[in-house]
Amino acid sequence: MDKVKPLHEVMTLLRDGQTIMIGGFLCAGTPELLIDAMIEKNIRELTVIANDTGFEDRGIGKLVVNKQIRKMIATHVGTNKETGRQMTAREMEVELIPQGTMAERIRAAGVGLGGILTPTGVGTVVEEGKEKLIIDGKEYLLELPLRAEIALLHAYKADKAGNLVYRRASRNFNPLMAMAADLVIVTAEHIVETGEIDPDEVMTPAPLVDIVVLINNE
């Protein structure tokens, strides 16, 4: 099955008000082509789940500056002053999650777990409103799975079936998010024929991917 589609067709699937996961770590592994297209289409009122908000002129930060995000769920926002400004001014809701906890909550959603138990955040503001359990005398927070309608990811290479290879640090959250969304859309720097990627090199298998978009090929 050929999952490669043009950008203009993919953009018909993105609409106001959706909950979207976006891969990347400070723009490494972030699908900037899709973000630019979202800005051009002016999709608004989004809930975005991502490691961070990039920079004011790159990645998710451009969505922040354009005020297209209603709620941001992230592990840190310090590299983007506009995110901090909007959060302080209550122009955008920001939920901060410890980085390891976010990764595990996304993974939990992907593998069908009802949640995870973690000591991270016990005794801090992180525990507010969450159930606590004591196991062998130690306190844990129950953190619930984190899932999205759509995941927007970036890969170094894909085949036409949707098998993915990431490059170095750009791997980050992308493989986890591929498991935790109803629709997975991936931009790829290179697309090859199905079967050309060695199975041992595949980092995200084709069944998890719905659509592949070649960068610079609209």
mmCIF file of all heavy atoms in Angstrom, residues 106-138:
data_model
loop_
_atom_site.group_PDB
_atom_site.id
_atom_site.type_symbol
_atom_site.label_atom_id
_atom_site.label_comp_id
_atom_site.label_asym_id
_atom_site.label_seq_id
_atom_site.Cartn_x
_atom_site.Cartn_y
_atom_site.Cartn_z
ATOM 1 N N ILE A 106 2.594 8.908 27.178
ATOM 2 C CA ILE A 106 2.357 8.667 25.746
ATOM 3 C C ILE A 106 2.534 7.188 25.438
ATOM 4 O O ILE A 106 1.725 6.579 24.717
ATOM 5 C CB ILE A 106 3.310 9.524 24.894
ATOM 6 C CG1 ILE A 106 2.979 11.012 25.072
ATOM 7 C CG2 ILE A 106 3.221 9.135 23.423
ATOM 8 C CD1 ILE A 106 3.992 11.949 24.458
ATOM 9 N N ARG A 107 3.586 6.594 25.981
ATOM 10 C CA ARG A 107 3.818 5.164 25.760
ATOM 11 C C ARG A 107 2.658 4.334 26.308
ATOM 12 O O ARG A 107 2.211 3.365 25.682
ATOM 13 C CB ARG A 107 5.127 4.727 26.421
ATOM 14 C CG ARG A 107 5.525 3.285 26.109
ATOM 15 C CD ARG A 107 6.748 2.862 26.895
ATOM 16 N NE ARG A 107 6.476 2.800 28.316
ATOM 17 C CZ ARG A 107 5.941 1.747 28.932
ATOM 18 N NH1 ARG A 107 5.595 0.670 28.245
ATOM 19 N NH2 ARG A 107 5.724 1.772 30.234
ATOM 20 N N ALA A 108 2.144 4.720 27.476
ATOM 21 C CA ALA A 108 1.025 4.002 28.071
ATOM 22 C C ALA A 108 -0.194 4.002 27.148
ATOM 23 O O ALA A 108 -0.876 2.980 26.993
ATOM 24 C CB ALA A 108 0.665 4.619 29.425
ATOM 25 N N ALA A 109 -0.439 5.151 26.543
ATOM 26 C CA ALA A 109 -1.556 5.230 25.597
ATOM 27 C C ALA A 109 -1.312 4.319 24.399
ATOM 28 O O ALA A 109 -2.227 3.638 23.914
ATOM 29 C CB ALA A 109 -1.744 6.674 25.122
ATOM 30 N N GLY A 110 -0.072 4.283 23.947
ATOM 31 C CA GLY A 110 0.249 3.492 22.769
ATOM 32 C C GLY A 110 0.142 1.998 22.971
ATOM 33 O O GLY A 110 -0.210 1.262 22.045
ATOM 34 N N VAL A 111 0.435 1.525 24.176
ATOM 35 C CA VAL A 111 0.419 0.082 24.423
ATOM 36 C C VAL A 111 -0.820 -0.361 25.189
ATOM 37 O O VAL A 111 -0.941 -1.531 25.570
ATOM 38 C CB VAL A 111 1.696 -0.379 25.165
ATOM 39 C CG1 VAL A 111 2.923 -0.083 24.330
ATOM 40 C CG2 VAL A 111 1.821 0.282 26.537
ATOM 41 N N GLY A 112 -1.744 0.547 25.434
ATOM 42 C CA GLY A 112 -3.017 0.172 26.026
ATOM 43 C C GLY A 112 -3.032 0.039 27.538
ATOM 44 O O GLY A 112 -3.904 -0.638 28.097
ATOM 45 N N LEU A 113 -2.117 0.707 28.222
ATOM 46 C CA LEU A 113 -2.124 0.683 29.682
ATOM 47 C C LEU A 113 -3.102 1.712 30.229
ATOM 48 O O LEU A 113 -3.370 2.729 29.601
ATOM 49 C CB LEU A 113 -0.720 0.978 30.224
ATOM 50 C CG LEU A 113 0.391 -0.003 29.846
ATOM 51 C CD1 LEU A 113 1.714 0.452 30.469
ATOM 52 C CD2 LEU A 113 0.051 -1.415 30.287
ATOM 53 N N GLY A 114 -3.585 1.449 31.441
ATOM 54 C CA GLY A 114 -4.525 2.369 32.064
ATOM 55 C C GLY A 114 -3.867 3.549 32.741
ATOM 56 O O GLY A 114 -4.536 4.458 33.221
ATOM 57 N N GLY A 115 -2.538 3.539 32.780
ATOM 58 C CA GLY A 115 -1.789 4.625 33.396
ATOM 59 C C GLY A 115 -0.441 4.112 33.873
ATOM 60 O O GLY A 115 -0.093 2.947 33.656
ATOM 61 N N ILE A 116 0.337 4.989 34.512
ATOM 62 C CA ILE A 116 1.629 4.602 35.069
ATOM 63 C C ILE A 116 1.735 5.115 36.497
ATOM 64 O O ILE A 116 1.046 6.065 36.880
ATOM 65 C CB ILE A 116 2.806 5.167 34.237
ATOM 66 C CG1 ILE A 116 2.792 6.705 34.274
ATOM 67 C CG2 ILE A 116 2.761 4.648 32.814
ATOM 68 C CD1 ILE A 116 4.103 7.348 33.890
ATOM 69 N N LEU A 117 2.603 4.500 37.265
ATOM 70 C CA LEU A 117 2.890 4.963 38.617
ATOM 71 C C LEU A 117 4.301 5.515 38.636
ATOM 72 O O LEU A 117 5.244 4.859 38.186
ATOM 73 C CB LEU A 117 2.760 3.820 39.619
ATOM 74 C CG LEU A 117 1.365 3.211 39.787
ATOM 75 C CD1 LEU A 117 1.423 2.033 40.751
ATOM 76 C CD2 LEU A 117 0.375 4.250 40.271
ATOM 77 N N THR A 118 4.462 6.732 39.148
ATOM 78 C CA THR A 118 5.780 7.358 39.193
ATOM 79 C C THR A 118 5.943 8.158 40.486
ATOM 80 O O THR A 118 4.985 8.805 40.945
ATOM 81 C CB THR A 118 5.997 8.286 37.990
ATOM 82 O OG1 THR A 118 7.263 8.954 38.120
ATOM 83 C CG2 THR A 118 4.902 9.327 37.854
ATOM 84 N N PRO A 119 7.137 8.152 41.074
ATOM 85 C CA PRO A 119 7.384 8.993 42.250
ATOM 86 C C PRO A 119 7.686 10.432 41.866
ATOM 87 O O PRO A 119 7.702 11.318 42.728
ATOM 88 C CB PRO A 119 8.609 8.331 42.892
ATOM 89 C CG PRO A 119 9.357 7.741 41.728
ATOM 90 C CD PRO A 119 8.287 7.270 40.776
ATOM 91 N N THR A 120 7.918 10.683 40.576
ATOM 92 C CA THR A 120 8.270 12.031 40.132
ATOM 93 C C THR A 120 7.115 13.004 40.369
ATOM 94 O O THR A 120 6.003 12.778 39.895
ATOM 95 C CB THR A 120 8.638 12.031 38.636
ATOM 96 O OG1 THR A 120 9.715 11.123 38.420
ATOM 97 C CG2 THR A 120 9.043 13.420 38.177
ATOM 98 N N GLY A 121 7.373 14.046 41.094
ATOM 99 C CA GLY A 121 6.351 15.057 41.358
ATOM 100 C C GLY A 121 5.678 14.935 42.701
ATOM 101 O O GLY A 121 4.938 15.840 43.106
ATOM 102 N N VAL A 122 5.911 13.832 43.418
ATOM 103 C CA VAL A 122 5.318 13.686 44.755
ATOM 104 C C VAL A 122 5.831 14.809 45.659
ATOM 105 O O VAL A 122 7.026 15.090 45.708
ATOM 106 C CB VAL A 122 5.664 12.310 45.355
ATOM 107 C CG1 VAL A 122 5.234 12.246 46.825
ATOM 108 C CG2 VAL A 122 4.982 11.203 44.568
ATOM 109 N N GLY A 123 4.902 15.467 46.341
ATOM 110 C CA GLY A 123 5.278 16.549 47.243
ATOM 111 C C GLY A 123 5.467 17.885 46.562
ATOM 112 O O GLY A 123 5.925 18.844 47.181
ATOM 113 N N THR A 124 5.113 17.969 45.267
ATOM 114 C CA THR A 124 5.232 19.227 44.528
ATOM 115 C C THR A 124 3.878 19.576 43.906
ATOM 116 O O THR A 124 2.899 18.841 44.045
ATOM 117 C CB THR A 124 6.280 19.102 43.399
ATOM 118 O OG1 THR A 124 5.734 18.317 42.323
ATOM 119 C CG2 THR A 124 7.556 18.438 43.904
ATOM 120 N N VAL A 125 3.835 20.686 43.178
ATOM 121 C CA VAL A 125 2.589 21.090 42.516
ATOM 122 C C VAL A 125 2.143 20.066 41.475
ATOM 123 O O VAL A 125 0.971 20.041 41.086
ATOM 124 C CB VAL A 125 2.750 22.474 41.846
ATOM 125 C CG1 VAL A 125 2.959 23.549 42.884
ATOM 126 C CG2 VAL A 125 3.884 22.459 40.823
ATOM 127 N N VAL A 126 3.064 19.208 41.035
ATOM 128 C CA VAL A 126 2.719 18.197 40.029
ATOM 129 C C VAL A 126 1.653 17.240 40.540
ATOM 130 O O VAL A 126 0.831 16.730 39.777
ATOM 131 C CB VAL A 126 3.983 17.411 39.592
ATOM 132 C CG1 VAL A 126 3.627 16.246 38.675
ATOM 133 C CG2 VAL A 126 4.960 18.342 38.890
ATOM 134 N N GLU A 127 1.605 17.008 41.845
ATOM 135 C CA GLU A 127 0.671 16.022 42.393
ATOM 136 C C GLU A 127 -0.750 16.561 42.557
ATOM 137 O O GLU A 127 -1.676 15.786 42.826
ATOM 138 C CB GLU A 127 1.173 15.499 43.733
ATOM 139 C CG GLU A 127 1.017 16.468 44.890
ATOM 140 C CD GLU A 127 1.348 15.819 46.231
ATOM 141 O OE1 GLU A 127 2.183 14.911 46.264
ATOM 142 O OE2 GLU A 127 0.752 16.239 47.240
ATOM 143 N N GLU A 128 -0.948 17.852 42.363
ATOM 144 C CA GLU A 128 -2.264 18.450 42.598
ATOM 145 C C GLU A 128 -3.335 17.810 41.712
ATOM 146 O O GLU A 128 -3.191 17.729 40.498
ATOM 147 C CB GLU A 128 -2.207 19.955 42.351
ATOM 148 C CG GLU A 128 -1.358 20.699 43.380
ATOM 149 C CD GLU A 128 -1.286 22.193 43.104
ATOM 150 O OE1 GLU A 128 -1.968 22.658 42.162
ATOM 151 O OE2 GLU A 128 -0.553 22.897 43.815
ATOM 152 N N GLY A 129 -4.407 17.338 42.363
ATOM 153 C CA GLY A 129 -5.529 16.753 41.647
ATOM 154 C C GLY A 129 -5.312 15.331 41.167
ATOM 155 O O GLY A 129 -6.154 14.801 40.439
ATOM 156 N N LYS A 130 -4.210 14.694 41.573
ATOM 157 C CA LYS A 130 -3.908 13.335 41.102
ATOM 158 C C LYS A 130 -4.013 12.331 42.247
ATOM 159 O O LYS A 130 -3.754 12.646 43.407
ATOM 160 C CB LYS A 130 -2.503 13.294 40.485
ATOM 161 C CG LYS A 130 -2.382 14.139 39.238
ATOM 162 C CD LYS A 130 -0.960 14.189 38.705
ATOM 163 C CE LYS A 130 -0.886 15.108 37.485
ATOM 164 N NZ LYS A 130 0.495 15.295 37.017
ATOM 165 N N GLU A 131 -4.361 11.122 41.862
ATOM 166 C CA GLU A 131 -4.451 10.053 42.846
ATOM 167 C C GLU A 131 -3.052 9.593 43.239
ATOM 168 O O GLU A 131 -2.171 9.451 42.397
ATOM 169 C CB GLU A 131 -5.239 8.881 42.259
ATOM 170 C CG GLU A 131 -5.487 7.754 43.238
ATOM 171 C CD GLU A 131 -6.337 6.643 42.653
ATOM 172 O OE1 GLU A 131 -6.883 6.832 41.551
ATOM 173 O OE2 GLU A 131 -6.438 5.579 43.314
ATOM 174 N N LYS A 132 -2.873 9.353 44.552
ATOM 175 C CA LYS A 132 -1.598 8.845 45.048
ATOM 176 C C LYS A 132 -1.796 7.440 45.617
ATOM 177 O O LYS A 132 -2.802 7.161 46.268
ATOM 178 C CB LYS A 132 -1.014 9.757 46.119
ATOM 179 C CG LYS A 132 -0.425 11.033 45.574
ATOM 180 C CD LYS A 132 0.559 11.690 46.552
ATOM 181 C CE LYS A 132 -0.132 12.220 47.780
ATOM 182 N NZ LYS A 132 0.820 13.004 48.646
ATOM 183 N N LEU A 133 -0.815 6.583 45.357
ATOM 184 C CA LEU A 133 -0.840 5.238 45.896
ATOM 185 C C LEU A 133 0.444 4.977 46.670
ATOM 186 O O LEU A 133 1.499 5.505 46.311
ATOM 187 C CB LEU A 133 -0.979 4.187 44.776
ATOM 188 C CG LEU A 133 -2.326 4.107 44.055
ATOM 189 C CD1 LEU A 133 -2.379 5.115 42.920
ATOM 190 C CD2 LEU A 133 -2.565 2.707 43.526
ATOM 191 N N ILE A 134 0.335 4.167 47.695
ATOM 192 C CA ILE A 134 1.512 3.785 48.470
ATOM 193 C C ILE A 134 1.806 2.316 48.202
ATOM 194 O O ILE A 134 0.954 1.448 48.420
ATOM 195 C CB ILE A 134 1.291 4.023 49.972
ATOM 196 C CG1 ILE A 134 1.043 5.516 50.238
ATOM 197 C CG2 ILE A 134 2.499 3.533 50.772
ATOM 198 C CD1 ILE A 134 0.730 5.844 51.679
ATOM 199 N N ILE A 135 2.989 2.046 47.695
ATOM 200 C CA ILE A 135 3.411 0.684 47.386
ATOM 201 C C ILE A 135 4.726 0.419 48.099
ATOM 202 O O ILE A 135 5.701 1.162 47.902
ATOM 203 C CB ILE A 135 3.565 0.483 45.866
ATOM 204 C CG1 ILE A 135 2.229 0.763 45.161
ATOM 205 C CG2 ILE A 135 4.078 -0.928 45.545
ATOM 206 C CD1 ILE A 135 2.297 0.717 43.656
ATOM 207 N N ASP A 136 4.741 -0.616 48.928
ATOM 208 C CA ASP A 136 5.929 -0.947 49.726
ATOM 209 C C ASP A 136 6.451 0.273 50.489
ATOM 210 O O ASP A 136 7.662 0.512 50.570
ATOM 211 C CB ASP A 136 7.039 -1.512 48.830
ATOM 212 C CG ASP A 136 6.689 -2.878 48.276
ATOM 213 O OD1 ASP A 136 5.894 -3.599 48.929
ATOM 214 O OD2 ASP A 136 7.197 -3.230 47.200
ATOM 215 N N GLY A 137 5.510 1.065 50.979
ATOM 216 C CA GLY A 137 5.870 2.197 51.807
ATOM 217 C C GLY A 137 6.296 3.447 51.052
ATOM 218 O O GLY A 137 6.653 4.455 51.671
ATOM 219 N N LYS A 138 6.241 3.411 49.720
ATOM 220 C CA LYS A 138 6.662 4.571 48.928
ATOM 221 C C LYS A 138 5.479 5.154 48.173
ATOM 222 O O LYS A 138 4.648 4.411 47.645
ATOM 223 C CB LYS A 138 7.755 4.159 47.939
ATOM 224 C CG LYS A 138 8.374 5.327 47.191
ATOM 225 C CD LYS A 138 9.566 4.884 46.356
ATOM 226 C CE LYS A 138 10.213 6.056 45.632
ATOM 227 N NZ LYS A 138 11.413 5.652 44.858
#
